Amino acid sequence: MFYNHTLYLLNVNPGELDDYGIYHEGQEQVLKSFPCDIQPYSSELLYREYGYQEQVTKRVFCDLDSDIKNGKIVRDGSGQKYMIKKIIPWDDYMDVMLDDE
């Protein structure tokens, strides 16, 4: 497949309260990057093509990877974050459905 983008799989540590009751946001850590093809997509298309009812805005084609899981957060090169909503595995690649975070 033709992969012209890179996504970064993030590990987001939860925020916490310090001893004074002040909330500090969690740290983001890039677990890995992976090449992919990103295309605009919609919930309506997802329902028509696969029968799933999820809110999605992007469709990603990438190689099979066991680290890519539903609920994980990814970031593109511009810094936009997305949540992985649905994964549809095929023989040698997978469709990953994303929604804006």
Side-chain angles (χ1 to χ4, degrees), residues 41 46 50 52 64 86-90 93-97:
Y41 206 60
L46 179 63
Y50 298 106
Y52 297 115
L64 294 171
K86 190 74 178 167
I87 298 171
I88 301 166
W90 296 94
Y93 72 97
M94 57 187 183
D95 288 351
V96 181
M97 307 303 167

Side-chain angles (χ1 to χ4, degrees), residues 22 25 44 55 83 87 95:
I22 299 172
E25 287 194 28
E44 182 181 324
Q55 176 64 37
M83 178 178 283
I87 298 171
D95 288 351

Side-chain angles (χ1 to χ4, degrees), residues 11-18 23-29:
N11 182 28
V12 181
N13 297 323
E16 58 184 33
L17 291 175
D18 65 13
Y23 179 77
H24 298 277
E25 287 194 28
Q27 297 285 329
E28 286 182 1
Q29 178 184 20

Side-chain angles (χ1 to χ4, degrees), residues 41-52:
Y41 206 60
S42 70
S43 301
E44 182 181 324
L45 284 171
L46 179 63
Y47 183 71
R48 259 193 289 166
E49 291 184 0
Y50 298 106
Y52 297 115

Side-chain angles (χ1 to χ4, degrees), residues 3-65:
Y3 297 146
N4 58 350
H5 292 90
T6 300
L7 282 178
Y8 302 91
L9 186 63
L10 302 178
N11 182 28
V12 181
N13 297 323
E16 58 184 33
L17 291 175
D18 65 13
D19 294 339
Y20 302 102
I22 299 172
Y23 179 77
H24 298 277
E25 287 194 28
Q27 297 285 329
E28 286 182 1
Q29 178 184 20
V30 175
L31 294 176
K32 67 177 0 179
S33 63
F34 57 95
C36 63
D37 179 33
I38 304 172
Q39 298 179 358
Y41 206 60
S42 70
S43 301
E44 182 181 324
L45 284 171
L46 179 63
Y47 183 71
R48 259 193 289 166
E49 291 184 0
Y50 298 106
Y52 297 115
Q53 292 185 337
E54 294 282 347
Q55 176 64 37
V56 297
T57 58
K58 301 283 184 201
R59 178 182 192 177
V60 171
F61 296 97
C62 63
D63 292 337
L64 294 171
D65 189 328

